[in-house]
Amino acid sequence: MEYVNPLTGFRLDGRRPNEMRQIRGEIGVVAKADGSALFEMGNTKVIAAVYGPREVQNKGQQMDGQALVRCEYSMANFSTGDRARKSKGDRRSTEISLVIRQTMEASILTHLMPRSQIDIFLQVLQADGGTRSSCINAATLALADAGIPMRDLVTSCSAGYLCSTPLLDLNYVEDSAGGPDVTVGTLVKMDKVTLLQMDAKLPVDMFTDVLQLAIEGCKAIANYIREVLLENTKKLECMRGS
Amino acid sequence: MVGLSAGERQFIYGGIAQDLRSDGRQRLQFRPISVQTGVIPQANGSARATMGATDVIASIKAELGKPAPLRPDKGKVSIFIDCSPTAAPVFEGRGGEELSAELSVGLQRCLLGGKSGAGAGIDLSSLIVVEGKVCWDLYIDGLVISSDGNLLDALAAAIKAALSNTGIPKVSVSVGASGEDQPEVDVSDEEFMQFDTSGVPVVVTLTKVGRHYIVDATLEEESQMSSAVSVSVNRHGRVCGLIKRGGTGLDPSVVLDMVSVAKHASETLIAVLDSEIASAEAIDDDDAI
């Protein structure tokens, strides 16, 4: 199948190979949570809610020197095209929960909140490829909304390689094409990679190109997230009346 | 949710007794309701309903299936609610299962009628394609994103809005199908049949706190309830379903009184909901153009 048109260079959804899908972020969507955010990457829509820092529920897991970070990823029944009967706690969800927890933990200044617990809940409303990345971006916004101190913004983007072209931000069709799918999570200002996952195979020199493309995508998302946070702060400032 | 202090509890009780609740509402006043339709593009119909801080999404998917042998002239509808952990940390893992099951069964009781399919708010006979062989299976999925009390009412409102947003594809059956085999059906991509939702009821939950009942309770008010009665009423004022929750016993006359109060409150709710759904559909149509 022609994922990249040889004549025009456009992808199946009309994007250029190094073009990301339209992103949109919104803060404060779940009123009851300490921090929450909605993040959309194209048709992929994810809600993140943060509860914490609060008292540790399971005393056996309490840590004296730092906060306990927990994460749960769940997909809605209607999130995928065919209504798959979602089983909570299936292996894919568990793996993604673990991966996102490790990524966010790298950025949260956990030593400032010892003996406490921070819960990050991710709910996928619509899945069209790149759910992992959308979840990390949404979690960053939600953690900022909750006022939890972080080292840096964590952003994530995916990239692949189809029809001899590195492609940025794969959607579901491109992801299921069987080509490599590299997901990268970075701490942007510090220029460090915290998450790197790839499936399928890719020659090493191509890999560096694809990785670089994904990191560029992460930087672009970080700029957008920074704007969203600034807007939100201005709004709060206005409401405070200063 | 953090527990309430004795002073806060007194405040809630006293406010309700004096017809002035904590957020300024009267006992029988609903919070502002807003409805958006078409929020899940890949579903046949979907809607998002918010009542104050309670936020729920309902999605409807239609698939072709075989009708039950005992009811060959009726399609099948199943309702399944899920409480997302984003609504409350207690819903993580399997914590939300009990509440989800309670809400699912409650809505089934209110919307789907008796075991024979009679008296359903949704007209099941309109879902039949070939009697006895092919029918539409409707899967109604609800998701609670944010919970501030009154989940049953919000979910019922979202389902009603989603049903009015639902388009069932037109199916043409190939002629000449033999008696026994599954007939060939051709599902159209272009033409859709809009669902008739005039008979779909709304649910009004009356929460008894002290000696008075309130409509549309917040999470804090619900924590102080002695019992609650959820009444499903349709446009013609007919009661389509009834659920009593909470351990405290109620005098039968009190229950009857609550049902009539709920019927009265449902009139305003139906009016507000209809106008919200109509404006949401209008926005949808504008976008489509």
Side-chain angles (χ1 to χ4, degrees):
Chain A
M1 184 144 115
E2 248 179 33
Y3 294 101
V4 180
N5 189 314
L7 295 167
T8 58
F10 286 141
R11 287 148 83 172
L12 291 171
D13 51 5
R15 285 186 285 155
R16 295 216 159 276
N18 60 349
E19 198 182 318
M20 214 163 33
R21 288 175 290 182
Q22 190 170 43
I23 47 179
R24 191 176 88 88
E26 198 184 315
I27 297 187
V29 290
V30 177
K32 286 264 154 192
D34 291 323
S36 60
L38 166 80
F39 200 82
E40 291 179 40
M41 284 174 89
N43 284 331
T44 299
K45 219 194 261 197
V46 164
I47 287 187
V50 169
Y51 289 88
R54 58 196 191 116
E55 198 180 331
V56 179
Q57 306 292 300
N58 184 353
K59 285 291 190 287
Q61 291 178 328
Q62 185 172 293
M63 293 191 279
D64 273 346
Q66 55 178 26
L68 173 71
V69 177
R70 287 161 79 242
C71 178
E72 183 173 311
Y73 165 97
S74 35
M75 294 184 81
N77 270 342
F78 44 77
S79 56
T80 51
D82 41 311
R83 182 197 176 268
R85 178 70 202 225
K86 167 193 74 158
S87 43
K88 238 178 188 174
D90 68 321
R91 290 157 65 97
R92 181 176 171 270
S93 301
T94 318
E95 189 247 335
I96 297 183
S97 307
L98 180 70
V99 158
I100 297 181
R101 179 177 69 77
Q102 287 174 339
T103 311
M104 305 319 293
E105 217 173 359
S107 176
I108 298 176
L109 296 167
T110 49
H111 64 275
L112 292 180
M113 298 162 286
R115 292 179 291 279
S116 71
Q117 174 176 312
I118 299 174
D119 287 319
I120 308 172
F121 296 121
L122 301 151
Q123 178 72 47
V124 176
L125 298 177
Q126 269 175 250
D128 187 25
T131 47
R132 213 169 294 227
S133 303
S134 308
C135 284
I136 291 175
N137 297 330
T140 299
L141 276 173
L143 284 166
D145 186 34
I148 290 178
M150 294 193 282
R151 284 190 179 82
D152 197 353
L153 294 178
V154 191
T155 53
S156 168
C157 196
S158 66
Y161 190 80
L162 287 170
C163 300
S164 319
T165 335
L167 302 175
L168 180 61
D169 193 14
L170 305 172
N171 60 24
Y172 181 71
V173 179
E174 291 166 340
D175 204 357
S176 359
D181 169 23
V182 179
T183 306
V184 176
T186 57
L187 293 171
V188 182
K189 269 250 169 70
M190 293 168 67
D191 213 7
K192 289 204 194 303
V193 170
T194 55
L195 165 69
L196 182 57
Q197 287 186 316
M198 184 181 104
D199 47 23
K201 53 182 195 250
L202 194 56
V204 177
D205 42 352
M206 304 295 180
F207 174 71
T208 25
D209 287 339
V210 171
L211 179 62
Q212 209 44 49
L213 188 59
I215 292 178
E216 287 301 312
C218 291
K219 291 207 179 103
I221 294 178
N223 287 335
Y224 176 72
I225 285 185
R226 213 167 277 129
E227 269 172 35
V228 171
L229 288 171
L230 267 174
E231 269 305 309
N232 188 46
T233 310
K234 282 193 194 142
K235 208 170 58 167
L236 290 173
E237 216 179 0
C238 250
M239 291 201 310
R240 243 186 79 184
S242 52
Chain B
M1 198 193 71
V2 182
L4 296 174
S5 68
E8 282 172 308
R9 280 200 288 271
Q10 193 61 30
F11 198 70
I12 292 176
Y13 265 98
I16 289 172
Q18 294 173 41
D19 204 16
L20 183 63
R21 292 151 73 173
S22 306
D23 50 7
R25 282 185 289 155
Q26 295 178 315
R27 283 197 287 261
L28 298 182
Q29 201 179 333
F30 279 92
R31 282 174 287 187
I33 303 171
S34 95
V35 170
Q36 294 169 313
T37 52
V39 289
I40 310 284
Q42 64 248 37
N44 292 76
S46 60
R48 177 177 179 172
T50 52
M51 278 186 178
T54 297
D55 195 350
V56 301
I57 291 186
S59 138
I60 301 186
K61 264 209 140 290
E63 282 169 19
L64 284 174
K66 213 161 176 290
L70 294 173
R71 289 188 292 283
D73 62 335
K74 293 196 153 61
K76 302 200 297 266
V77 178
S78 71
I79 302 183
F80 180 73
I81 308 294
D82 186 31
C83 294
S84 165
T86 56
V90 71
F91 293 153
E92 96 166 285
R94 301 186 59 177
E97 261 179 24
E98 209 180 290
L99 181 60
S100 307
E102 192 188 322
L103 291 168
S104 306
V105 170
L107 284 166
Q108 277 167 0
R109 205 159 278 154
C110 289
L111 296 171
L112 294 183
K115 282 203 170 59
S116 66
I122 306 165
D123 183 16
L124 295 175
S125 343
S126 63
L127 292 175
I128 204 73
V129 176
V130 175
E131 189 158 324
K133 301 226 184 65
V134 184
C135 72
W136 282 110
D137 285 341
L138 277 193
Y139 294 103
I140 303 182
D141 288 312
L143 180 69
V144 176
I145 297 178
S146 172
S147 161
D148 192 20
N150 210 19
L151 291 175
L152 205 57
D153 297 15
L155 282 164
I159 291 177
K160 188 174 161 78
L163 281 170
S164 47
N165 180 242
T166 303
I168 310 272
K170 278 209 166 59
V171 186
S172 49
V173 188
S174 61
V175 192
S178 72
E180 295 298 318
D181 308 340
Q182 283 288 99
E184 294 274 313
V185 287
D186 177 37
V187 182
S188 156
D189 275 337
E190 309 284 315
E191 293 165 26
F192 290 91
M193 178 182 82
Q194 285 299 124
F195 227 68
D196 174 28
T197 56
S198 55
V200 179
V202 295
V203 175
V204 176
T205 301
L206 280 179
T207 311
K208 190 159 191 290
V209 180
R211 289 176 47 219
H212 304 272
Y213 336 123
I214 50 172
V215 132
D216 197 10
T218 61
L219 207 55
E220 290 171 345
E221 290 167 338
E222 269 181 7
S223 69
Q224 298 308 307
M225 79 173 187
S226 54
S227 49
V229 172
S230 300
V231 185
S232 155
V233 190
N234 71 6
R235 178 187 307 277
H236 308 289
R238 292 260 179 79
V239 174
C240 305
L242 196 60
I243 308 164
K244 180 208 169 283
R245 299 195 320 262
T248 313
L250 287 176
D251 196 272
S253 60
V254 172
V255 177
L256 288 173
D257 189 37
M258 283 170 102
V259 171
S260 70
V261 169
K263 271 174 64 174
H264 177 72
S266 71
E267 284 159 28
T268 27
L269 179 59
I270 289 178
V272 169
L273 204 51
D274 280 342
S275 73
E276 277 293 316
I277 293 175
S279 59
E281 294 275 286
I283 295 172
D284 239 4
D285 288 338
D286 284 342
D287 282 343
I289 297 168

